[in-house]
Amino acid sequence: MRIWRSVVGKLWLTILLLVSFVLFILTLLLMEFMANYHIDDAKKELTTLANKVALILENHDDEQIAHSITSDLSDDQTTILIVEDEEHYWQSSKNGSLAPKFSVSDIFEDEKLSDAFYNHEEISLVKSHPLNTPDENNEQEMIIVGIPYKTDGKYGSVFVTRSLLAINQTIKQTTKYILLAAGIAIVLTTVFAFFLSTRITYPLRKMREVAMELAKGKFHTKVPKLTHDEIGELAVAFNQMGKQVQFHINALRQEKEQLSNILSSMADGVITLNIDGTILVTNPPAERFLQAWYYEQGMNVEKGEELPPMVRELFQQVVSTQREQVIEIQLQGRTWVVIMSPLNNQSSVRGAVVVLRDMTEERRLDKLRKDFIANVSHELRTPISMLQGYSEAILDDIATSEEERKEIVQVIYDESLRMGRLVNDLLDLARMEAGHISLGVETIELHPFIEKVMRKFQKPAKEKNVELQIEWLNEVKEAVFDPDRIEQVLTNLIDNAIRHTNAGGFVKLSIQNTKNGLKLDVQDSGSGISEEDLPFVFERFYKADKARTRGRSGTGLGLAIAKHIVDAHNGSIRVHSKVNEGTTFSIYLPQ
């Protein structure tokens, strides 16, 4: 059943039906032509015979001689009847089994024959009549030809009849050969049509196979050029089309990959929304934004294709106003600026594109700038005020004794030193941030170096009743770093630890040689740092918690300088702390 649905079956069946129809019509026409031809030929022959008999009757006065000649002209399939009237007639005697039974009564009983006889007209017709056989069912068509004649002023008619049985047999034989020829033609047409349709459709089937391969993305597949006709040209055009499709798809793929790479490498998040608010495309920063939103709302990530309510409201505003909208969102401690613009087609809005800009660092830097100005002003205000006040005391001779004068001068000196340290720290930090720090890296014996650093803090620790500890977690002999800079870092960390550790507490320096470097941990049992302040401990003038505020001698720049020194060694510094449990600063220096 499948072949009838194919092009081969349809083309083969079409050709077969067309040829069969043509052959059927042609067979009918040939059969009709052959029947008419034989009947017309027989009528002409009988008419000629009747004319001869009429001529003999007209030219011979002796009826016996005329009848004898007429008898000689007849055969066993032909009946000749000469009729003068109903009473006077003559009939040939050579009547075989195929000769029709025809008598005078048949003439006068037939309306057409009797009219032709009385009107002296020629007549030629075909009618059914029994044969000259004893069978009852022997009806057969016969041809009757009537020709009038005139002798001695009297009119008569010559009627000649012949059975169509021989003609019909001839027609049957002819029909048999025509049908045989038609059958042979149909068989040959079937084979030829199937062969032709197969040859014609083979390139089409190959094109179908190639089209299926193209649909699977195999653009290198080509259609073989089997012919040089229109189908061959179609195969060439099909191959050219495959090349063009491959070229355009490669171009589209490259453009898509380029756009995808650009989108993925963007620092800003990008979300494309459909007109119904569903998310179509996101990039990694946008996915991080959505993940933070899902986490904050306790949503299942797999189900989440929702937008935050503020972003959804902004989307509704963009769709209704068809203008760009901007809002700022606080999410998981980060600040996001959301810029949403409509995506238009020819007549209406078809969606929107959202740009998510993480402004946390900018806001932090802005806050640090403001805090820096405020902290510098605060740090400088106190010594400047004291310098101004004590200088006025000297100018006004308020000091009554030499000891009071020396005390005032000592305060002025101490505050000027404090201002100098602050300015030097700011200058050092500025140079470090500008990348102008220089390191004197050398191989250091670690035990003497650590003991030297810890000796500086024996007196302050003893005065505050804080225990200093050194812990060697494994055997460490030498290390490579700038001893002055690392000593500055450890001095700052240990000094801070002692300052913020209550009496009876401890400060411990742990040294560990790791696989790829050196790890130094400064641990204290002090007041600790709150969780919200931990991200800012390495910022300049960090004094967020009063519990961590240093005395008048501190500048608030030590940890910032320490971080820059460690970074210059390609190392890292981290802090872990819990309020009222203590703080640990971990330094890692790679070898």
Side-chain angles (χ1 to χ4, degrees):
M1 192 63 186
R2 189 174 180 180
I3 190 173
W4 308 117
R5 300 179 181 177
S6 65
V7 177
V8 175
K10 292 178 180 178
L11 186 58
W12 173 62
L13 185 60
T14 301
I15 295 174
L16 183 60
L17 290 177
L18 179 61
V19 173
S20 299
F21 179 74
V22 172
L23 288 176
F24 176 73
I25 298 298
L26 182 60
T27 301
L28 292 180
L29 293 176
L30 284 174
M31 291 172 61
E32 184 69 21
F33 169 76
M34 294 301 295
N36 293 333
Y37 172 78
H38 287 292
I39 292 174
D40 290 341
D41 185 63
K43 285 182 180 181
K44 291 179 181 178
E45 184 179 350
L46 294 180
T47 301
T48 302
L49 178 59
N51 286 324
K52 288 181 180 179
V53 172
L55 186 60
I56 290 172
L57 292 173
E58 290 176 354
N59 293 331
H60 289 80
D61 295 333
D62 189 350
E63 289 184 357
Q64 294 296 327
I65 297 175
H67 292 167
S68 177
I69 296 173
T70 300
S71 181
D72 293 335
L73 293 176
S74 65
D75 54 34
D76 58 355
Q77 295 183 8
T78 306
T79 300
I80 302 174
L81 186 61
I82 301 172
V83 181
E84 295 180 1
D85 53 37
E86 294 183 11
E87 299 296 334
H88 299 87
Y89 61 89
W90 177 87
Q91 187 173 3
S92 62
S93 60
K94 295 181 180 180
N95 294 333
S97 61
L98 296 179
K101 293 180 179 180
F102 188 71
S103 62
V104 175
S105 60
D106 294 327
I107 296 174
F108 292 103
E109 289 176 359
D110 188 277
E111 182 179 357
K112 292 183 179 180
L113 293 176
S114 61
D115 289 343
F117 175 77
Y118 290 121
N119 296 327
H120 312 298
E121 297 175 351
E122 291 187 8
I123 188 171
S124 175
L125 56 84
V126 177
K127 64 176 297 187
S128 298
H129 201 276
L131 293 172
N132 190 19
T133 61
D135 297 335
E136 295 181 357
N137 299 323
N138 58 357
E139 288 266 335
Q140 181 64 34
E141 289 184 337
M142 65 178 180
I143 302 174
I144 302 174
V145 175
I147 299 296
Y149 71 93
K150 184 179 181 181
T151 59
D152 298 332
K154 294 180 180 180
Y155 284 96
S157 293
V158 178
F159 290 95
V160 182
T161 63
R162 180 178 291 177
S163 175
L164 290 178
L165 183 59
I167 296 175
N168 289 336
Q169 290 177 351
T170 304
I171 293 175
K172 286 182 180 179
Q173 287 297 113
T174 306
T175 303
K176 185 186 298 183
Y177 288 121
I178 292 175
L179 292 176
L180 179 62
I184 295 174
I186 289 176
V187 172
L188 293 177
T189 301
T190 302
V191 176
F192 172 75
F194 189 79
F195 173 76
L196 179 63
S197 59
T198 304
R199 289 285 297 174
I200 292 175
T201 57
Y202 178 73
L204 299 179
R205 294 199 303 272
K206 295 298 294 183
M207 290 181 193
R208 175 184 172 276
E209 294 174 1
V210 173
M212 296 298 293
E213 295 294 323
L214 291 179
K216 296 177 182 178
K218 300 178 181 179
F219 298 104
H220 62 277
T221 310
K222 293 184 178 181
V223 179
K225 184 180 179 182
L226 303 175
T227 60
H228 298 279
D229 52 8
E230 291 82 355
I231 295 179
E233 294 177 358
L234 178 61
V236 174
F238 197 90
N239 292 333
Q240 291 295 330
M241 181 191 70
K243 291 181 181 179
Q244 291 297 320
V245 170
Q246 183 177 11
F247 173 77
H248 290 298
I249 288 181
N250 289 336
L252 290 174
R253 184 183 293 113
Q254 291 177 1
E255 184 177 355
K256 181 180 178 181
E257 291 176 354
Q258 184 178 1
L259 292 176
S260 178
N261 292 333
I262 292 174
L263 195 65
S264 300
S265 61
M266 287 179 62
D268 296 336
V270 177
I271 301 176
T272 303
L273 302 177
N274 202 355
I275 187 63
D276 58 355
T278 57
I279 298 174
L280 298 178
V281 180
T282 59
N283 67 341
E287 291 176 1
R288 288 194 293 270
F289 170 82
L290 294 175
Q291 292 289 339
W293 158 251
Y294 300 147
Y295 176 78
E296 187 176 86
Q297 298 299 318
M299 297 171 60
N300 189 350
V301 177
E302 295 180 356
K303 299 179 181 177
E305 285 189 359
E306 301 180 7
L307 293 172
M310 289 182 288
V311 179
R312 184 168 292 278
E313 293 175 3
L314 189 68
F315 174 70
Q316 298 298 333
Q317 294 178 11
V318 169
V319 172
S320 59
T321 62
Q322 298 187 9
R323 293 183 179 179
E324 182 180 278
Q325 302 290 335
V326 181
I327 60 170
E328 189 169 306
I329 297 177
Q330 299 291 331
L331 187 64
Q332 290 288 300
R334 305 193 71 82
T335 302
W336 296 85
V337 174
V338 181
I339 305 171
M340 187 177 297
S341 303
L343 292 175
N344 299 314
N345 54 19
Q346 295 180 354
S347 58
S348 60
V349 177
R350 62 180 178 86
V353 60
V354 184
V355 178
L356 304 168
R357 187 162 296 164
D358 189 352
M359 300 295 290
T360 305
E361 188 66 21
E362 286 78 359
R363 297 292 183 266
R364 186 183 67 82
L365 293 176
D366 187 56
K367 180 178 181 300
L368 289 176
R369 179 181 60 81
K370 295 178 181 178
D371 291 344
F372 175 78
I373 295 173
N375 289 330
V376 169
S377 301
H378 176 74
E379 292 289 339
L380 292 177
R381 182 178 60 185
T382 300
I384 289 175
S385 297
M386 295 186 69
L387 288 174
Q388 182 181 357
Y390 282 100
S391 299
E392 290 177 352
I394 293 175
L395 291 175
D396 295 338
D397 292 329
I398 294 178
T400 57
S401 65
E402 187 65 24
E403 291 182 0
E404 290 180 355
R405 187 183 298 276
K406 287 183 179 181
E407 183 179 352
I408 293 173
V409 172
Q410 185 64 40
V411 170
I412 293 174
Y413 178 73
D414 290 340
E415 293 300 324
S416 63
L417 290 178
R418 181 182 175 188
M419 290 181 62
R421 288 197 300 272
L422 176 62
V423 172
N424 289 332
D425 287 345
L426 286 173
L427 291 175
D428 289 342
L429 187 60
R431 283 196 299 269
M432 291 178 184
E433 290 179 346
H436 296 157
I437 183 173
S438 58
L439 299 177
V441 179
E442 57 183 280
T443 301
I444 304 298
E445 293 287 339
L446 208 56
H447 282 270
F449 175 78
I450 295 298
E451 291 175 357
K452 173 186 174 184
V453 173
M454 296 300 286
R455 276 198 302 270
K456 294 194 299 182
F457 297 99
Q458 294 294 335
K459 183 178 178 181
K462 186 176 182 181
E463 291 177 351
K464 204 171 181 183
N465 193 21
V466 174
E467 181 184 1
L468 288 178
Q469 302 175 4
I470 302 176
E471 183 180 11
W472 299 88
L473 298 178
N474 52 22
E475 183 64 25
V476 185
K477 293 183 179 180
E478 296 179 346
V480 179
F481 52 77
D482 185 334
D484 293 334
R485 294 293 187 179
I486 297 302
E487 181 180 352
Q488 182 180 357
V489 172
L490 293 176
T491 298
N492 183 277
L493 295 178
I494 296 172
D495 181 63
N496 284 346
I498 293 174
R499 290 177 182 277
H500 300 96
T501 302
N502 297 326
F506 70 90
V507 174
K508 181 169 64 175
L509 175 61
S510 301
I511 304 97
Q512 180 182 4
N513 188 17
T514 64
K515 182 178 180 180
N516 298 317
L518 178 68
K519 184 180 179 184
L520 304 171
D521 292 332
V522 178
Q523 180 183 2
D524 64 59
S525 59
S527 57
I529 305 172
S530 63
E531 184 177 351
E532 59 270 18
D533 292 331
L534 278 176
F536 304 100
V537 295
F538 295 107
E539 303 296 340
R540 292 172 291 183
F541 301 110
Y542 166 71
K543 293 182 180 181
D545 190 353
K546 291 182 180 179
R548 299 292 296 179
T549 303
R550 294 191 246 174
R552 293 179 58 190
S553 61
T555 62
L557 301 174
L559 291 179
I561 294 174
K563 185 177 186 307
H564 281 287
I565 292 174
V566 174
D567 290 342
H569 283 81
N570 295 323
S572 62
I573 181 170
R574 294 180 296 174
V575 59
H576 300 280
S577 180
K578 288 186 178 181
V579 177
N580 298 324
E581 291 187 13
T583 304
T584 301
F585 284 88
S586 299
I587 302 171
Y588 173 75
L589 299 176
Q591 295 300 316

